[in-house]
Amino acid sequence: MRLRILPASAGAGIIFRRVDLDGFEVEAVSRNVARVSYATSLMKKGVLISTTEHLLSALVGMRIDNAIIELDNLELPILDGSARPFVDLIRRAGVRKQRRPRTYMRILRALEVREGNKFIAVYPADTYSVSYAINFPHPFIGRENFTLELSNGQYVSNIAPARTFGFLHEGEAMRQQGLIRGASRENAIVLTRDSLVNPPLRFEDEFVRHKILDLIGDLALIGRQILGKVVADRAGHAMHTTLVSRLLRDHTFWEATTLPEESADEYVYAGLQNPRFSRQPGS
Ligand SMILES: [Zn+2]
């Protein structure tokens, strides 16, 4: 399996390219969302890109707007179950500022979605922030809460290392259904009903931090960065992508805007400077 991230021109957005299918391209946007269960997958004209959220999260977390992701396979590598390997590789490659100002989706009024005890919403704000709450009856999880402000560079140290998690018994069931390939203690936090199979945790509240990682990756399918405050409580990929499609369907909730002072801002990056890097998962 081979993955490369290449620079893309300003305004291109994030594009997946299947090099094993004559370079067929699938844009990382909401209209290409195919299937949402344990992970988020994209499909265009029958061509699938599976498990997109961790890499998309790394790109948005590092404020990268434009990139081409080449892969020779339908599934993105899970690596260690977090976004940190992607972040490390992107940092090593470098990031370049592009001249065209970034276009944001500025939230104009609240949009709230509720399904039973699950909740997700977005509210107007001058920056992009994400708050998540989970409440899971497990001795290592329980009630966790975390808020991330994306513009202050905290994503890399506070969110990117947080790994995905799963239960030993569910993992077995999913493997039997062919849903995940090789989920293991190397690429996830593995839990039993009352304990942790592979300590230590990277953060005491690693679980909710990973939910934020996933949410940022799923919201990337809006196709532009948000100026708004996102709040989620016990949501998941399906609720995340519901929020995205509800927003895109109804333009009264938002406007497209640029920030005039942004060109002077040092944390604003777009595109990848170093033309290429590659990684062989498992190497
Ligand atoms: Zn995840």
Side-chain angles (χ1 to χ4, degrees), residues 53-54 164 210 213-214 237:
E53 63 271 13
H54 296 173
T164 189
H210 187 80
L213 189 161
D214 280 343
H237 292 301

